[in-house]
Amino acid sequence: YGLARIAGPLGFRRGKAGFVVRAEASGVGGRGEGFAAALLGGAPTAALEGERLANGQLLLRRLDINGRGLKVRASGGRSLLGAVNFKGRADISNLAAARLGANGAASVDFQAAQARSAAPWTFTLDARGDRFALGLAELDRLLGGKPRLQVQANWQAGRLSVAKATLDGASLDANVAGVMQADRTLAFKADWSATGPVRAGPVEITGRIKGTGGVSGALASPRLDLLADIEQVDLPRLPLTNAKLAITFQRQADGSNGSVALTATSGYG
């Protein structure tokens, strides 16, 4: 996605509480493909009003973004005790323009707060889909038309701590928690469950699936480990039951992306 031009007024001033910035921007000649192009469109606009307070805190008083398939409205303020906060909502639509099979809409309610200048920022996010589809057949079946994602996290000095992230889909539920350190190393754990059938080429996984997972390593080259207990795997002419699946995704020096190990019971042992 790209824009031919961005234009609009930009103002700075020093107020009693700190440094104030106001900006309005209009894009012209937006072009591209995929989700960014579908959401922003050919002429997105944005308006921002914020302050850097004398104690170093950032106060977002207003943020408005309008695109072909995106509308964001957020506002914030400061309490009598010095805490800063903002909250808002993002509405997402026009997904059908992003890729074949995508459809529906989503809404995201979010808020953030900082009790004092040295305290972490705390965030909450609640995203809900409505007739939602990403155009990925198996994932869309697992998520269903009304998936929900809830996140509780905090951020301080480059360190992101996710206390809880919960995904509720029609046939997929997952819980994630963990930390990204300031040096961008990852340590996340997850547990999840799904209901088949899940198809991958000639293979069909039926019944109940449950497992655990983790993401570790550096952000630039992460390692993903998944362990799963599967009731039944239907291979052509070789049905398997009570399967245990271990998957590791990490780019290797030989160009491969990881490994897969499957242990199961069959009619042959």
Side-chain angles (χ1 to χ4, degrees):
Y1 179 76
L3 285 167
R5 185 174 71 254
I6 301 175
L10 176 64
F12 301 92
R13 69 176 176 83
R14 182 173 294 279
K16 293 181 179 180
F19 195 69
V20 181
V21 59
R22 290 188 177 92
E24 295 182 10
S26 297
V28 177
R31 60 194 181 279
E33 58 185 23
F35 287 99
L39 297 183
L40 295 177
T45 63
L48 168 70
E49 180 180 348
E51 297 181 37
R52 181 179 177 84
L53 304 179
N55 64 1
Q57 285 180 292
L58 299 177
L59 171 58
L60 178 65
R61 292 197 176 276
R62 176 194 170 207
L63 175 65
D64 294 340
I65 301 174
N66 294 286
R68 185 178 179 186
L70 176 66
K71 179 182 288 186
V72 178
R73 297 289 182 268
S75 62
R78 191 181 189 193
S79 72
L80 293 175
L81 298 178
V84 296
N85 60 80
F86 74 92
K87 62 181 179 179
R89 178 184 177 98
D91 292 306
I92 298 169
S93 59
N94 197 42
L95 294 177
R99 61 176 294 155
L100 183 65
N103 194 29
S107 62
V108 183
D109 293 304
F110 56 88
Q111 59 183 11
Q114 186 184 36
R116 57 187 183 279
S117 61
W121 277 95
T122 60
F123 298 87
T124 62
L125 178 149
D126 190 352
R128 299 170 183 260
D130 180 19
R131 297 170 288 104
F132 184 79
L134 292 172
L136 303 170
E138 290 302 322
L139 181 59
D140 288 337
R141 189 197 68 78
L142 291 171
L143 293 178
K146 295 183 178 294
R148 184 180 185 184
L149 173 65
Q150 296 175 285
V151 179
Q152 299 175 7
N154 67 59
W155 172 273
Q156 185 177 33
R159 182 180 185 270
L160 173 66
S161 177
V162 178
K164 184 178 182 181
T166 302
L167 174 65
D168 295 318
S171 300
L172 173 65
D173 298 317
N175 297 285
V176 179
V179 175
M180 182 183 73
Q181 300 290 355
D183 62 0
R184 300 300 188 263
T185 57
L186 307 172
F188 287 88
K189 298 293 185 183
D191 61 81
W192 55 276
S193 63
T195 303
V198 178
R199 298 177 180 85
V203 179
E204 180 176 271
I205 299 173
T206 57
R208 191 72 176 167
I209 312 164
K210 62 180 181 178
T212 59
V215 180
S216 58
L219 181 63
S221 57
R223 173 189 173 119
L224 171 64
D225 293 291
L226 293 176
L227 301 174
D229 293 318
I230 306 170
E231 289 183 354
Q232 185 168 330
V233 181
D234 291 333
L235 293 168
R237 295 180 294 279
L238 183 62
L240 304 175
T241 58
N242 300 321
K244 293 187 178 297
L245 179 66
I247 303 176
T248 297
F249 291 107
Q250 186 175 42
R251 184 169 294 279
Q252 307 295 318
D254 61 3
S256 63
N257 293 318
S259 62
V260 178
L262 177 66
T263 304
T265 301
S266 76
Y268 304 97

